[in-house]
Amino acid sequence: MNKMSCYVRTQRLKSGLLQKDLLALLPTTGRNRVSTTERGLHPPNGGEILAYEVIFGSPAHELFPKHFAEVEEAVVDRAYALHQSLEGNLDAKSARKRASLEAILARAVDRRQRKDR
Amino acid sequence: MKGPLCDELVLAIYPTPRGFAYALFEAPLSPVDWGTREFLGKDKNARTLGAIARLCKAARPETLVIEDGVTASSKRSQRVQRLLGLIGAMAEVEDISLVRYSRKTIRETFHHPAITRQEIAQAIATYIPALSDRLPPMRKLWQSEDPRLWIFDAASLALTHFARVTDDEPP
């Protein structure tokens, strides 16, 4: 599913909150911040993402699927590049790093498969 | 109604005397956005169409569902009939698949040819809790129509579409 880029408006409508109510709940933020976030004009910052998670009780990847997918793709690309750069290093430290990076890639693949199902 | 068998972003538009109501669904039981827009004064159709175009641009629906206003049984005003035609043209330009359902089809989908709009709204509110707090009370003879009912009219169009596509039973 997850056809929308942001589900803040959906959650807000379900909870019966107005934009100004949500604005009052968010930690220091601009006047039109909720509106611009809902319309996907501006990505939320870290504090806002956590605040929305607290307010709606939904994980960030469900509230901001598009933003999450973009960040995930960037991290996976970097993890892959770092993994490639560690090829050939046989010491224990590099092996541990490689295992961590493989776990990141495996989680991303698993998430994508679950999404496609 | 069974579970969400079809995941398609469907935007249903219901023109109203003051503007339009809309309901955006990504599956039969998953509304993601709903509301009404009102425009007072002149050029109501042009302003309504502009707002619908902006909504389509923001939501990027795969299917746009509107009422079939040109059937002989349709009681929609000439202005609304013109607006429905303009929405159809806009959908073609924006390359959005357009589907039209008559009131008769909606009533049949909800199982009873004589079912009222209020009854359809109640059925929708029962099955979709997210919309239940928008359900207006039954109106009295001397009262005008509650704008909240238009949201359910839009939702009924979307649910009719899902029922037709998935052969699923509506509420």
Side-chain angles (χ1 to χ4, degrees), chain A residues 10 15 19 32-33 51-52 64 69 90 98 102 105 113 115 117:
Chain A
T10 307
S15 60
Q19 283 188 346
N32 297 323
R33 199 68 179 140
Y52 284 127
F64 304 100
L90 300 172
R98 272 202 300 274
E102 280 160 15
L105 298 171
Q113 281 173 347
K115 212 164 104 180
R117 236 178 276 144

Side-chain angles (χ1 to χ4, degrees), chain B residues 87-165:
Chain B
I87 294 170
M90 185 214 68
E92 203 172 311
V93 170
E94 297 288 328
D95 201 22
I96 303 170
S97 150
L98 181 81
V99 191
R100 298 167 196 263
Y101 295 110
S102 65
R103 294 300 311 169
K104 187 171 171 246
T105 310
I106 295 168
R107 284 196 301 268
E108 281 170 2
T109 308
F110 284 83
H111 289 311
H112 200 288
I115 194 166
T116 65
R117 287 164 59 220
Q118 178 75 32
E119 285 164 347
I120 290 174
Q122 281 166 347
I124 293 171
T126 307
Y127 279 86
I128 305 177
L131 295 176
S132 60
D133 69 328
R134 306 290 291 166
L135 182 68
M138 182 81 88
R139 79 162 161 158
K140 306 281 191 291
L141 278 173
W142 56 89
Q143 290 176 325
S144 58
E145 199 163 69
D146 194 308
R148 287 173 293 180
L149 191 65
W150 297 329
I151 295 172
F152 290 91
D153 289 323
S156 69
L157 281 167
L159 292 174
T160 299
H161 174 69
F162 280 118
R164 298 271 149 169
V165 168

Side-chain angles (χ1 to χ4, degrees), chain A residues 1-15 22 34 36-40 44 52-53 55-68 115, chain B residues 7-9 24-27 30-34 59 62:
Chain A
M1 266 201 323
N2 285 344
K3 299 235 165 214
M4 302 287 287
S5 59
C6 168
Y7 286 84
V8 170
R9 182 173 165 82
T10 307
Q11 292 292 340
R12 182 175 64 75
L13 289 172
K14 281 180 182 171
S15 60
L22 211 49
V34 175
T36 54
T37 303
E38 282 186 355
R39 288 182 290 154
Y52 284 127
E53 211 173 313
I55 293 165
F56 298 124
S58 301
H61 68 90
E62 284 179 12
L63 287 170
F64 304 100
K66 189 184 166 198
H67 192 51
F68 183 85
K115 212 164 104 180
Chain B
D7 62 336
E8 177 190 1
L9 200 56
L24 181 66
F25 281 71
E26 60 182 3
S30 299
V32 286
D33 196 1
W34 54 91
E62 287 153 276

Side-chain angles (χ1 to χ4, degrees), chain B residues 9-85:
Chain B
L9 200 56
V10 172
L11 176 64
I13 300 285
Y14 184 83
T16 68
R18 299 180 211 162
F20 71 98
Y22 67 95
L24 181 66
F25 281 71
E26 60 182 3
L29 298 176
S30 299
V32 286
D33 196 1
W34 54 91
T36 55
R37 295 271 189 281
E38 293 189 7
F39 302 96
L40 301 173
K42 290 181 177 174
D43 298 331
K44 207 184 275 181
N45 272 6
R47 288 153 71 197
T48 304
L49 192 67
I52 293 169
R54 283 194 296 278
L55 189 61
C56 287
K57 208 173 170 187
R60 294 191 302 276
E62 287 153 276
T63 307
L64 191 62
V65 187
I66 57 173
E67 191 182 327
D68 191 351
V70 291
T71 53
S73 59
S74 176
K75 291 174 184 168
R76 304 311 293 264
S77 69
Q78 285 189 354
R79 180 191 71 81
V80 169
Q81 288 189 17
R82 275 200 310 277
L83 178 62
L84 290 168

